[in-house]
């Protein structure tokens, strides 16, 4: 593996992996099978270098945890001493298909927001080539999108067929009770004490999708540190 390739992958990871994205702070809810399959894949990478390639496809509505899980499996593989590649296609204007050069040497490649390149011939061809190359090298691909493989709108028929032929999991959104638990778990992981009363207050006063709630938690974490205050309802009212 060339030093240039290793550096490019590491750069992609450093730019994208958020501190909070791990399996430990992902509330599984109704997505146990998909999560366990990803965890098994992370543990198995590097143990069977000549194993056939495998691939997973995750899809679901915004806030269902697709990006979190892709970053979590990358983090787990990275902690084992391997160099995975994470490709956020929603930001493809910031890079080109050259990012995938030599990517088959990575044990794991996670491609987020595949639907962002539907109809883009250059990216569809590049991703299909990556699949073929990883199959020859025994690596693993994990894709994520907002819709199922058959509904994504790819023009390259062979690529669409490959996506649908792997393990496909529709991620189910969290219930209100699960959102409350996820919010408190994320706060706990950050060392921020959040009572159930405070969590319920946030769920009733602010947007309820997980992206918005976790972004709000980031702001609250900073605000409590600056003010040297505990996270209480009176404190929250003072911020509104």
């Amino acid at each position: 593996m060339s030093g240039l390739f290793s550096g490019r992958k590491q750069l992609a990871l450093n730019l994208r992996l958020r501190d909070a994205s791990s399996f430990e702070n992902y509330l599984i809810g109704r997505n146990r099978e998909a999560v366990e399959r990803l965890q098994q894949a992370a543990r198995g990478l590097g143990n069977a270098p000549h194993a056939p390639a495998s691939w997973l496809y995750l899809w679901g509505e915004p806030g269902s945890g697709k990006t979190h899980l892709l970053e979590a499996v990358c983090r787990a593989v990275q902690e084992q001493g391997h160099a995975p590649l994470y490709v956020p296609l929603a930001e493809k204007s910031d890079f080109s298909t050259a990012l995938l050069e030599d990517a088959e040497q990575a044990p794991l490649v996670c491609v987020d927001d595949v639907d962002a390149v539907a109809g883009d011939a250059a990216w569809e061809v590049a991703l299909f080539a990556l699949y073929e190359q990883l199959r020859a090298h025994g690596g693993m691909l994990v894709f994520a999108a907002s819709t199922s493989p058959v509904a994504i709108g790819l023009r390259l028929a062979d690529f669409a067929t490959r996506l649908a032929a792997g393990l496909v999991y529709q991620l189910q959104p969290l219930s209100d009770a699960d959102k409350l638990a996820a919010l408190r778990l994320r706060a706990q992981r950050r060392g921020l004490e959040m009572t159930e009363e405070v969590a319920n207050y946030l769920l009733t006063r602010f947007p309820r999708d997980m992206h918005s709630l976790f972004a709000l938690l980031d702001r609250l974490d900073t605000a409590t540190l600056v003010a040297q205050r505990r996270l209480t309802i009176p404190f929250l009212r003072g911020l509104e």
Side-chain angles (χ1 to χ4, degrees), residues 37 45 48-55 134-141:
R37 182 64 185 85
L45 287 178
H50 301 296
S54 56
W55 63 102
L134 271 175
R135 184 172 67 170
H137 283 75
M140 183 170 186
L141 268 170

Side-chain angles (χ1 to χ4, degrees), residues 48-200:
H50 301 296
S54 56
W55 63 102
L56 279 77
Y57 185 102
L58 308 177
W59 68 281
E61 63 183 49
S64 57
K66 302 183 296 294
T67 296
H68 186 125
L69 287 177
L70 262 61
E71 292 183 351
V73 71
C74 279
R75 183 178 301 283
V77 169
Q78 191 179 41
E79 289 173 350
Q80 295 176 35
H82 302 298
L85 174 61
Y86 175 80
V87 184
L89 290 179
E91 301 171 20
K92 66 185 177 71
S93 60
D94 295 336
F95 49 83
S96 71
T97 57
L99 180 68
L100 300 182
E101 292 176 6
D102 298 326
E104 73 279 0
Q105 298 180 48
L108 168 72
V109 180
C110 288
V111 182
D112 206 353
D113 302 302
V114 182
D115 37 337
V117 299
D120 186 322
W123 270 105
E124 289 191 21
V125 168
L127 290 171
F128 180 61
L130 172 63
Y131 161 80
E132 294 289 351
Q133 292 158 0
L134 271 175
R135 184 172 67 170
H137 283 75
M140 183 170 186
L141 268 170
V142 183
F143 298 98
S146 60
T147 58
S148 69
V150 296
I152 197 173
L154 295 170
R155 295 181 182 178
L156 186 59
D158 285 344
F159 182 40
T161 300
R162 295 296 190 277
L163 288 182
L167 290 173
V168 178
Y169 293 103
Q170 180 181 6
L171 297 181
Q172 302 299 319
L174 296 177
S175 66
D176 284 350
D178 286 339
K179 288 179 180 180
L180 187 148
L183 193 58
R184 296 187 68 194
L185 175 62
R186 180 69 65 94
Q188 181 185 30
R189 293 283 179 179
R190 300 185 67 142
L192 184 63
E193 182 183 351
M194 179 183 291
T195 65
E196 185 173 348
E197 182 183 23
V198 167
N200 273 314

